[in-house]
Amino acid sequence: MVIAIKCHPGHLADKFVIVTGSSAGINRVIALAFAREGAKVVCSDLQPLARVDIKDETHVATHGEIIKEGSIGASVKVDVGEAAEVEELVHKAVEHFGKAGFSAGIPMPMVY
C-alpha cells in the first residue's frame, strides 16, 4: 500500500508538534510529514534510535532525517507510560518552541 500525503510547505511554519513513538512506523511518517509542512518537530520515543538496529533499515534517526531535509527537529527519550516524563517533555518543548499547535500521541489536555 502507498500512502500519498499532499504537502503545503511552510503551512505550519509557526507551529511545533510533539510526535510520540516517532522512531518507526506510521509515527515516523507522521513526524516527517509535519516537518515537510514546516512544523518544528519534537520526536519522542522510548528508543529514539530503534530503526538503526533493524537490518536493511535506515541508519538515520527520525529527528536526524528532519534536520537533513532542512527542517527543525529534536529528539527526546520518553516513556509515555510515565506521566511525569510526558509532562516534562511538554514543558521543555513549550519552553523551547512556544505554544504547541498540535499533539500527535499526547492527550490534548496535556498541550498548552
Side-chain angles (χ1 to χ4, degrees), residues 59-83:
H59 290 280
V60 180
T62 305
H63 75 283
E65 186 69 29
I66 289 168
I67 292 167
K68 190 171 97 176
E69 291 182 6
S71 296
I72 297 172
S75 177
V76 180
K77 182 178 178 179
V78 173
D79 180 350
V80 296
E82 298 294 330

Side-chain angles (χ1 to χ4, degrees), residues 2-24:
V2 175
I3 299 173
I5 299 174
K6 184 176 180 181
C7 293
H8 304 280
H11 178 70
L12 301 175
D14 61 339
K15 306 288 186 202
F16 84 86
V17 62
I18 298 169
V19 182
T20 60
S22 60
S23 70

Side-chain angles (χ1 to χ4, degrees), residues 22-76:
S22 60
S23 70
I26 191 68
N27 289 2
R28 178 180 168 91
V29 173
I30 290 168
L32 294 171
F34 273 122
R36 290 180 185 127
E37 295 284 336
K40 299 163 194 77
V41 182
V42 178
C43 300
S44 66
D45 206 301
L46 186 57
Q47 297 178 317
L49 301 176
R51 293 182 65 90
V52 175
D53 297 332
I54 300 171
K55 186 178 188 245
D56 299 324
E57 277 289 350
T58 181
H59 290 280
V60 180
T62 305
H63 75 283
E65 186 69 29
I66 289 168
I67 292 167
K68 190 171 97 176
E69 291 182 6
S71 296
I72 297 172
S75 177
V76 180

